[in-house]
Amino acid sequence: MNGTTMTARYGLGDLIDVDRYPFDQPDSAAYRAAVDAARAQLRTDGCAVIKDLIRPAALSILSSEIVERKPTTHYSTQTMNPYFHTEHNPDYPDRHPVNTFLERSSGFIPGDSWESGCATDVIFRAPELTRFLAACLEIRRLHCYADPLAGLTANILDPGQQFTWHFDTNDFAVTVLVDEADEGGLFEYVPNIRNADDEGFDHIQDVLEGGRDGVVTLDLRPGDLQIFRGRYSLHRVSRVAADSVPRHAAIFAYTEQPGVIGRVVRTRQLFGRVLPEHEAAERERVRSDTLLD
Ligand SMILES: O=C(O)CCC(=O)C(=O)O
Ligand SMILES: [Fe+2]
C-alpha cells in the first residue's frame, strides 16, 4: 500500500470532533473559544484539557492500534529521582529530591511501531492539530518531533505499574488518554512547583515523601487531549491497581524547531536501543561543540 492510500484511510473529521472543535475554521467563534480557554488554563497552571476531542468510534480504533502494537512495548523498571537520574549524588544530602529514588515501571510503544496512515499517526501529524496546539501554547509554529522513536509513542501502565514523580525535559507534552484504569493510573501534578529561579526542593521532597500539599489530580477521561507544561510542574501517573485493566495513553511530541532528534543516553533509557539517526545526530553535536570551543 502506498502512503497516499494509507493516508486516505481516515479523514481528520472521522477521528476528532470537528463539530465541537472546528479545526478547519480557525476564524470561527468556537475555535477561538477553545483556544482562549486552553490558553487561560495553561497560563494558570500549565495544564489544559480539550474534553472529548476524539470521537467515540475513533477511540476504539486508537485502543486497538495500541493493543496490536503492545508486544513492541519497551518496559523498563528503574528507581529514579524526579530528574530521571538513577545514581546517588554525594553533593546533596541523602534526604533531598536529587537523592530520592522512586519506582518507574511503565513502558513505551516506540515511534517506529506506528505506520504512516494509522489513525494514531494521522491525528499526531494533522497540520490542523499542530496549528491548534501552537495557538493554545502561544507559539508561532510547531513541528512533529523528528525523533524516530520518541515522536509518537504510547505510555503503557500495566496492572501494578506506576510512572513516578518527575519533570519532563521538553517544554510541553500532548497526551490523549485512550484506555483508563479502573483504579489508580491517575495523572497528578503540582503546578509550578519550581521556576527558573527556584528549584523548590523542600516542596518537592514533601511530595516525594507522600505529602499532598498542592497536588492536583487531573480529571482526564478517554478521548480527552491534555496539553501539559511539564518542566516546572512535578507530575506522575499513580500506580495502576493490581486487579485493574491497563492504562494506555498516546503521547504526541512536538518541537518548535524542525528536525530535532533526542539524545542517545535518554533514548536508551526510555526505549532500550538507539537508531542510526540518534548516533548521527550525536556525532553532529560533538562536531559543532568542537567548532564552538
Ligand atoms: O502517561 C501520561 O499521562 C504521561 C506520562 C508522563 O508524564 C511522561 O511520559 O513524561
Ligand atoms: Fe512526564
Side-chain angles (χ1 to χ4, degrees), residues 84 108 155 157 163 166 168 175 187 226 235 237 247 249 251:
F84 279 89
F108 284 108
N155 188 24
L157 274 85
F163 197 137
H166 66 281
D168 294 343
T175 302
F187 187 91
Q226 176 194 6
H235 59 284
V237 183
R247 174 191 188 269
I251 304 200

Side-chain angles (χ1 to χ4, degrees), residues 114-193:
W114 315 87
E115 74 282 2
S116 155
C118 72
T120 314
D121 185 76
V122 167
I123 299 174
F124 169 53
R125 294 187 193 282
E128 295 89 342
L129 177 63
T130 41
R131 175 173 63 185
F132 174 77
L133 294 170
C136 295
L137 287 156
E138 306 185 56
I139 290 171
R140 208 176 63 81
R141 200 160 166 210
L142 278 184
H143 302 269
C144 292
Y145 188 15
D147 190 291
L149 297 179
L152 171 59
T153 59
N155 188 24
I156 305 296
L157 274 85
D158 280 337
Q161 295 184 328
Q162 67 168 6
F163 197 137
T164 194
W165 295 110
H166 66 281
F167 295 101
D168 294 343
T169 46
N170 42 0
D171 281 339
F172 64 89
V174 175
T175 302
V176 171
L177 182 60
V178 175
D179 296 304
E180 65 182 348
D182 335 288
E183 199 189 329
L186 299 173
F187 187 91
E188 298 185 317
Y189 68 112
V190 187
N192 300 314
I193 198 169

Side-chain angles (χ1 to χ4, degrees), residues 182-217:
D182 335 288
E183 199 189 329
L186 299 173
F187 187 91
E188 298 185 317
Y189 68 112
V190 187
N192 300 314
I193 198 169
R194 72 172 180 179
N195 58 57
D197 306 315
D198 180 4
E199 283 278 10
F201 286 139
D202 290 345
H203 192 178
I204 294 171
Q205 188 60 22
D206 176 64
V207 174
L208 298 182
E209 291 178 4
R212 300 295 294 174
D213 222 19
V215 176
V216 177
T217 302

Side-chain angles (χ1 to χ4, degrees), residues 10 34 45 83 280:
Y10 300 110
D45 73 354
Y83 318 99

